[in-house]
Amino acid sequence: MTGNIAILGYGLSAIGPGVGIGLIFAAYINGVARQPEARGVLQGIAILGFALAEALAIFGLVLAFVFK
Amino acid sequence: MSLNVLGAISPAAAGGDGEGFHAPTPAEFYQPLIGHGDFAITRPMVVLAISVALIAWFLVATTKRAAVVPGKGQWVTEGAYNFVRNGVARDIIGSHDFLRFVPLLFSMFMLILVNNLFGVIPPIQYPTMSRIGFPIALTLLVFVIYHAVGIRKNGAWGHIKHMIPPGLPKGIYVLIIPLELLTYFVTRPLTLALRLFGNMFAGHMLLLLFITGGEYMLIHGGIGLKAAGVGSFGMAFVLTAFEALIEFLQAYIFTLLAATYIAGSLADEH
């Protein structure tokens, strides 16, 4: 079997952001369920947190192609 | 990091078990139309030009004879404008000085949105932002603007001082100053460009993989593989819808983060 070990690195780097994004949206859903009128405010914050957590996975993806 | 990330990559590992199937590689994103090499007119350049013409035509056509009761086109334009103006600019930058950034944020949002959606719209089907050069250009714009705004407000030295949160003990400055400088000058622009690029690139790659893989399994596979090929095409349909969602979300996130960075440079106190 041939392949590129860097792809494994991407898989590893996706674990943390995966857990993080799950936690962010869990908190968002919780917040909206408790206080539906706060949806607009929470949405922006949730998307922002999602974007920041996702950056790590994107780094992994790009580095998997850069350091081959 | 090489700017030519995609072009420099040789074909990666081909599909492990199939003899004939070649998995799509990043090299396939380099599609020159005229010329070849460093100075070529490539497909994303043409797509970008088309998108600019399309956006300009659409926005002018739908707002030229703006009516009190909006028609369909005007309704779409007003919806998008309101979304950026109220949902992004006013909420993030604050009602005091958000208005002068609305043109920037709105044109940025429309440009990214249309270019991203071109990734799934049939005659074009090429997300411009899957070539790293385009997100870098947009990010440079944001980078220059949020520093320029901060320097105009606080002065050059004040802008630097503004990056450091006040009220910390002096000893911690050794740690916090390099970290904050790194955030402002490296991490922010890097993540802004890479996020847009990575999402568009990976999403398009995924579609490419499911569609070419499905085609290969349907045409060359045995009976079991043919069934898997049908499943692969089904996944391609589902993922296309998912991609459309991601493409909108990325345009929103890019605009949101640009507004956040500008707001950070403008903020009075931490």
Side-chain angles (χ1 to χ4, degrees):
Chain A
M1 198 171 123
T2 59
N4 188 351
I5 195 84
I7 300 298
L8 284 184
Y10 171 57
L12 290 176
S13 80
I15 296 174
V19 174
I21 291 169
L23 286 175
I24 289 165
F25 279 102
Y28 168 61
I29 293 167
N30 251 323
V32 174
R34 281 163 192 242
Q35 211 168 344
E37 66 268 30
R39 183 187 207 128
V41 184
L42 291 180
Q43 193 167 22
I45 301 172
I47 298 281
L48 200 64
F50 159 73
L52 295 178
E54 188 205 33
L56 298 171
I58 297 295
F59 275 154
L61 173 74
V62 173
L63 292 182
F65 284 111
V66 172
F67 298 119
K68 52 184 279 124
Chain B
M1 188 187 302
S2 154
L3 289 188
N4 195 7
V5 172
L6 294 182
I9 288 165
S10 57
D17 40 3
E19 321 96 64
F21 177 63
H22 293 288
T25 63
E28 274 159 47
F29 283 77
Y30 181 61
Q31 301 180 353
L33 296 176
I34 302 170
H36 199 279
D38 288 343
F39 297 98
I41 293 183
T42 57
R43 192 168 155 196
M45 288 162 78
V46 175
V47 171
L48 189 74
I50 291 173
S51 76
V52 170
L54 199 69
I55 294 168
W57 168 77
F58 182 78
L59 292 183
V60 169
T62 51
T63 53
K64 206 168 171 188
R65 281 187 296 277
V68 179
V69 179
K72 276 180 200 151
Q74 196 190 338
W75 183 80
V76 170
T77 306
E78 281 180 358
Y81 182 77
N82 270 333
F83 176 70
V84 176
R85 182 188 185 273
N86 299 341
V88 178
R90 197 177 59 189
D91 284 3
I92 303 283
I93 301 179
S95 55
H96 180 56
D97 41 14
F98 76 100
L99 261 183
R100 57 194 171 115
F101 297 107
V102 170
L104 169 77
L105 294 174
F106 180 62
S107 40
M108 206 173 254
F109 176 74
M110 289 303 281
L111 185 72
I112 298 174
L113 179 67
V114 171
N115 271 299
N116 282 355
L117 286 179
F118 274 166
V120 292
I121 292 173
I124 297 166
Q125 281 181 318
Y126 189 104
T128 319
M129 302 300 164
S130 64
R131 298 293 294 177
I132 186 87
F134 297 93
I136 285 178
L138 286 172
T139 303
L140 273 181
L141 192 65
V142 175
F143 180 74
V144 169
I145 285 171
Y146 78 76
H147 280 300
V149 159
I151 289 173
R152 267 175 73 179
K153 178 145 198 259
N154 300 321
W157 179 240
H159 180 57
I160 304 282
K161 262 201 334 208
H162 188 247
M163 294 173 187
I164 318 295
L168 291 174
K170 289 274 179 288
I172 205 112
Y173 277 8
V174 185
L175 269 175
I176 208 86
I177 289 176
L179 272 180
E180 289 290 326
L181 287 181
L182 205 65
T183 304
Y184 272 81
F185 287 99
V186 179
T187 321
R188 277 184 174 186
L190 200 64
T191 52
L192 197 61
L194 285 185
R195 178 177 301 112
L196 185 57
F197 157 73
N199 272 289
M200 288 306 105
F201 170 70
H204 205 63
M205 196 79 164
L206 208 61
L207 288 185
L208 215 58
L209 184 65
F210 271 112
I211 291 170
T212 53
E215 182 205 11
Y216 181 80
M217 286 193 281
L218 266 183
I219 294 176
H220 303 284
I223 186 76
L225 273 185
K226 278 196 191 342
V230 173
S232 175
F233 269 118
M235 277 302 284
F237 278 111
V238 174
L239 282 172
T240 303
F242 182 66
E243 266 305 295
L245 175 74
I246 294 285
E247 281 158 359
F248 171 78
L249 201 64
Q250 286 306 319
Y252 173 58
I253 285 177
F254 193 95
T255 323
L256 188 76
L257 285 175
T260 311
Y261 296 159
I262 290 172
S265 294
L266 278 178
D268 289 327
E269 283 298 320
H270 273 281

